[in-house]
Amino acid sequence: MQTEIIQKTKKTDRMRHSIRYLAGLVTALVGLSDMLSAIAPRFTWSFFLGAWPIVNHRVPAQTFTVVVGFFLIVLSYGLVRGKKHAWNITLILLLLSALLHIQRSGSVLATLIALVMTISLYSLGSFFHAKSDPPSARRGYVALCLGLGIVVFYAIGGFIALYDDFAPWIDRIGIHGVIIRMFSHGNLRIPHATEAFFFQHALPVLCISAILYGMVQIFRPVAAVLIPDVATRDKVNEIVRIYGTNSISYFALGEDKSYFFSKSGRSVISYVLQGSTAVVAGDPIGPEDEMAEVINQFVAFCNEQDWSIVFWQIRDQIAALYRSAGFRLLKIGEDAVIDAQKFTLKGGAMANVRSSAKRAEKDGLHVVFYRSKVTDSEQLNQMEQISQHWLVEKGGSEMGFSLGRFDAQGDPQQIYALAVDTQNKVHAFVSFIPIYGRQGWGLDLMRRAEQCAPGTMELLLARTIEHMKNLGAHIISLGLAPLSNANEEDDTFLGTSIDFLTDRFGNPSKNQSLFNFKKKFQPTWESRYLVYSDALNLPKIGWALYNAHQTDASLLGTLIQTIREWQHKHSLYEKERVKSIEAAKA
């Protein structure tokens, strides 16, 4: 039954895409033919059904036909994306195109095509419900009306102020004729370097600018940075506190997120829109019995908007639901999860952590904890310096989406732990975010100074886990170990599939080192997956996912960063080679 539903959904999606692409193509062709018929009079369809009888030789419809044709071509992309606003305006322009063909004694066939296209498009209205960004759409309509209003007042005021310069032409062809000539670059024989000459050329530019700005705003996609209102954020916060079981569920509350609610309102999906790809942070957040339903609802919503979908770091417990919904899965690694109430440094398995922590304590280190904000200004300044150095070493900037950023202002919900010596020097620090649905905490930031005492990180994490155990935590997540496979699952891995992310997640030596470090704490390994909707869109999905995390990413910036990292690695290699040569000579 589920398979039949999936097949039916895919068939409906294919039909929707086909209709949208066909409507966009035909609209673009109608617009192109309108422009050609007005610009090149020899281009005509009249040899099929003839032309309309001449109604009025003075009807200046050619220029308007060019404008209508141009905007039909512009609107064709909006139709391909299924935009409701594009559909509305296209219907009006197609009717206008038909009327202009009649008024300018144009082709009967071209008129009939425009009318048939209008009727067909109207009957297919159910396929064009994709939303534009509501604030941008409103801003676009306001800008369009206001801009054209300003142009009208500018035109009236200009003609009044410069009446003497335009009087001969106004008396001869009327005010509307003068305006038509101005927009069609007709020669009004206005002397150069005069106010009238400037006005003649500025008016069309102002009008076209107002129209283009309005159109661009109207057809913008639903924005990834669309800021939810306070009531929406409060609702999401409530759902996350009850059902947020993923180790990155807390990031659903980030300011960069948009939200999709289930029909019941009990579940929410947190996502950002990168181009035409909806990038989801973790699993849907809500009751377990509603997971399949909200996933299917979100898929239908995204298909309506003509978006691709990618879920990042979904849990293995509900992986089957994504497969049932027709998604593909790639394993990206494993989450190291510790049972906090059973955690202890005793026993042979924890000997490595225990000895490393004791060594750091002998060097005078101890761990201090803060909730919401670090209040010691000296320690805070050192944390900032450590973070800045860490970012330089990484060759990038702070990330986002499913990763936290260092913020000197702190976060009311987070816990910070600092490894400090007797001189109040910060050797390393970590931050933990709440995992509300599992009564636990998840490791977010983990940064250390360039020179720190041996065993610092083991001491820091061991004491922090013990501290959270005393607070009543049930589980502690040490975060994702990229590309690890301790569970020995037979899955395709991310690193071999999306080249855009290999620099971030695909460095084998770093991944193995991180895995080995987390393994010291004897965690349970929970598989994590990337879920995507279409294998053909993997490069686009990879770039959208990278861009969602690296919010200031650009293709040029990524290339520059890659070159810098290569130069840094090459420099280190040369230094090691020189040292080896010198050692051999000695």
Side-chain angles (χ1 to χ4, degrees):
M1 183 64 179
Q2 184 68 32
T3 304
E4 293 179 1
I5 294 174
I6 293 172
Q7 293 299 326
K8 184 178 179 180
T9 301
K10 288 184 177 180
K11 184 177 180 180
T12 302
D13 292 340
R14 286 195 294 269
M15 182 174 67
R16 180 189 295 111
H17 290 154
S18 299
I19 290 175
R20 288 176 174 179
Y21 277 99
L22 182 61
L25 176 62
V26 174
T27 299
L29 291 176
V30 170
L32 181 62
S33 67
D34 282 356
M35 294 182 70
L36 290 175
S37 67
I39 296 173
R42 291 182 180 180
F43 181 84
T44 178
W45 303 78
S46 59
F47 53 86
F48 281 111
L49 297 178
W52 295 102
I54 297 175
V55 178
N56 186 347
H57 283 289
R58 297 188 64 186
V59 177
Q62 281 83 355
T63 300
F64 289 116
T65 302
V66 172
V67 173
V68 169
F70 170 75
F71 282 112
L72 283 175
I73 295 174
V74 173
L75 288 164
S76 64
Y77 177 71
L79 291 177
V80 170
R81 297 296 308 280
K83 295 293 183 181
K84 182 70 173 179
H85 291 290
W87 180 81
N88 288 332
I89 299 176
T90 300
L91 289 177
I92 296 173
L93 291 183
L94 286 171
L95 286 174
L96 185 57
S97 173
L99 291 175
L100 288 172
H101 280 298
I102 296 174
Q103 284 199 320
R104 56 187 286 266
S105 304
S107 167
V108 174
L109 178 61
T111 306
L112 292 177
I113 290 175
L115 290 174
V116 170
M117 185 59 190
T118 304
I119 297 170
S120 301
L121 199 61
Y122 180 80
S123 65
L124 297 171
S126 59
F127 293 94
F128 300 92
H129 284 307
K131 299 177 182 177
S132 292
D133 172 13
S136 294
R138 288 193 295 268
R139 189 164 56 247
Y141 282 118
V142 170
L144 192 59
C145 296
L146 187 61
L148 292 178
I150 292 173
V151 170
V152 170
F153 282 110
Y154 176 79
I156 294 173
F159 280 120
I160 292 175
L162 303 171
Y163 182 80
D164 292 339
D165 296 288
F166 290 102
W169 285 100
I170 294 174
D171 293 339
R172 181 179 174 184
I173 60 177
I175 187 73
H176 70 281
V178 172
I179 294 176
I180 293 299
R181 286 217 174 192
M182 291 172 70
F183 278 89
S184 61
H185 300 287
N187 186 9
L188 293 176
R189 297 187 180 88
I190 302 296
H192 289 255
T194 63
E195 293 180 351
F197 182 82
F198 173 79
F199 175 77
Q200 174 191 357
H201 290 82
L203 184 60
V205 172
L206 286 174
C207 186
I208 293 173
S209 298
I211 293 174
L212 287 178
Y213 176 77
M215 298 288 274
V216 168
Q217 292 295 324
I218 289 170
F219 300 126
R220 282 183 66 185
V222 177
V225 295
L226 183 61
I227 301 175
D229 55 31
V230 176
T232 301
R233 287 199 174 279
D234 288 343
K235 184 177 180 180
V236 174
N237 186 51
E238 181 181 351
I239 294 174
V240 170
R241 285 179 176 272
I242 299 173
Y243 300 110
T245 54
N246 195 302
S247 57
I248 62 171
S249 293
Y250 180 73
F251 294 111
L253 304 175
E255 294 182 356
D256 60 330
K257 304 298 192 299
S258 296
Y259 302 114
F260 173 84
F261 291 94
S262 63
K263 292 181 179 179
S264 68
R266 299 165 61 206
S267 302
V268 65
I269 290 178
S270 166
Y271 70 96
V272 299
L273 186 64
Q274 294 293 338
S276 59
T277 302
V279 187
V280 182
D283 302 291
I285 305 172
E288 291 290 334
D289 60 359
E290 202 174 76
M291 288 295 99
E293 185 178 353
V294 70
I295 289 172
N296 289 327
Q297 290 172 8
F298 184 66
V299 169
F301 169 74
C302 290
N303 287 339
E304 192 70 32
Q305 314 308 317
D306 196 25
W307 294 346
S308 299
I309 310 172
V310 56
F311 290 83
W312 174 249
Q313 282 201 48
I314 69 108
R315 296 173 298 146
D316 54 351
Q317 289 91 333
I318 60 172
L321 297 181
Y322 294 96
R323 291 190 177 97
S324 298
F327 284 99
R328 300 168 184 262
L329 278 70
L330 289 174
K331 186 172 181 180
I332 58 176
E334 294 164 325
D335 195 2
V337 178
I338 296 171
D339 186 333
Q341 293 303 310
K342 294 181 180 180
F343 179 78
T344 177
L345 290 178
K346 297 178 181 179
M350 298 297 293
N352 187 301
V353 175
R354 187 170 59 249
S355 60
S356 296
K358 287 183 177 179
R359 180 177 178 181
E361 287 179 329
K362 286 181 180 179
D363 288 335
L365 268 64
H366 65 282
V367 180
V368 294
F369 301 99
Y370 295 94
R371 182 68 180 266
S372 78
K373 183 177 181 180
V374 177
T375 55
D376 187 308
S377 59
E378 184 180 348
Q379 294 174 355
L380 187 60
N381 289 334
Q382 293 181 66
M383 291 171 67
E384 288 186 290
Q385 293 173 8
I386 291 172
S387 283
Q388 290 173 2
H389 176 76
W390 183 86
L391 291 174
V392 170
E393 287 295 312
K394 291 292 183 181
S397 59
E398 292 278 15
M399 299 181 74
F401 185 66
S402 65
L403 296 168
R405 296 166 172 255
F406 176 76
D407 185 357
Q409 300 302 316
D411 185 316
Q413 304 302 320
Q414 294 190 23
I415 289 179
Y416 302 89
L418 288 64
V420 184
D421 63 19
T422 54
Q423 304 300 317
N424 203 32
K425 176 186 175 181
V426 178
H427 287 239
F429 70 91
V430 294
S431 66
F432 279 79
I433 58 173
I435 307 176
Y436 295 113
R438 299 178 72 177
Q439 298 183 45
W441 295 88
L443 176 63
D444 185 20
L445 302 182
M446 182 171 63
R447 298 176 182 177
R448 63 182 180 181
E450 187 175 6
Q451 295 180 345
C452 63
T456 297
M457 299 310 299
E458 286 85 350
L459 171 67
L460 190 54
L461 286 181
R463 296 293 176 255
T464 304
I465 295 171
E466 291 173 340
H467 175 72
M468 293 176 172
K469 175 182 178 180
N470 295 331
L471 293 177
H474 288 188
I475 64 104
I476 304 294
S477 167
L478 297 184
L480 184 71
L483 306 186
S484 66
N485 193 26
N487 293 327
E488 298 182 353
E489 294 172 305
D490 186 18
D491 283 285
T492 303
F493 276 96
L494 171 71
T496 60
S497 304
I498 302 181
D499 293 337
F500 279 116
L501 298 175
T502 53
D503 283 341
R504 187 64 62 179
F505 300 107
N507 188 312
S509 60
K510 290 182 180 179
N511 292 337
Q512 189 62 42
S513 176
L514 183 61
F515 171 78
N516 290 336
F517 175 75
K518 294 180 179 182
K519 187 178 179 181
K520 294 180 182 180
F521 294 86
Q522 305 302 308
T524 298
W525 297 99
E526 297 182 359
S527 298
R528 294 291 183 266
Y529 299 89
L530 175 138
V531 175
Y532 60 99
S533 53
D534 188 354
L536 296 177
N537 289 329
L538 267 179
K540 182 180 76 169
I541 287 172
W543 176 249
L545 186 57
Y546 177 84
N547 203 37
H549 282 91
Q550 195 75 48
T551 52
D552 58 352
S554 64
L555 185 57
L556 178 61
T558 303
L559 290 174
I560 293 174
Q561 179 180 330
T562 302
I563 293 171
R564 286 176 177 172
E565 289 177 354
W566 178 85
Q567 290 175 336
H568 178 67
K569 292 177 182 178
H570 182 70
S571 176
L572 292 177
Y573 170 76
E574 286 297 322
K575 289 180 180 178
E576 291 296 328
R577 190 174 67 86
V578 170
K579 287 182 180 179
S580 300
I581 294 174
E582 291 177 349
K585 289 181 178 179

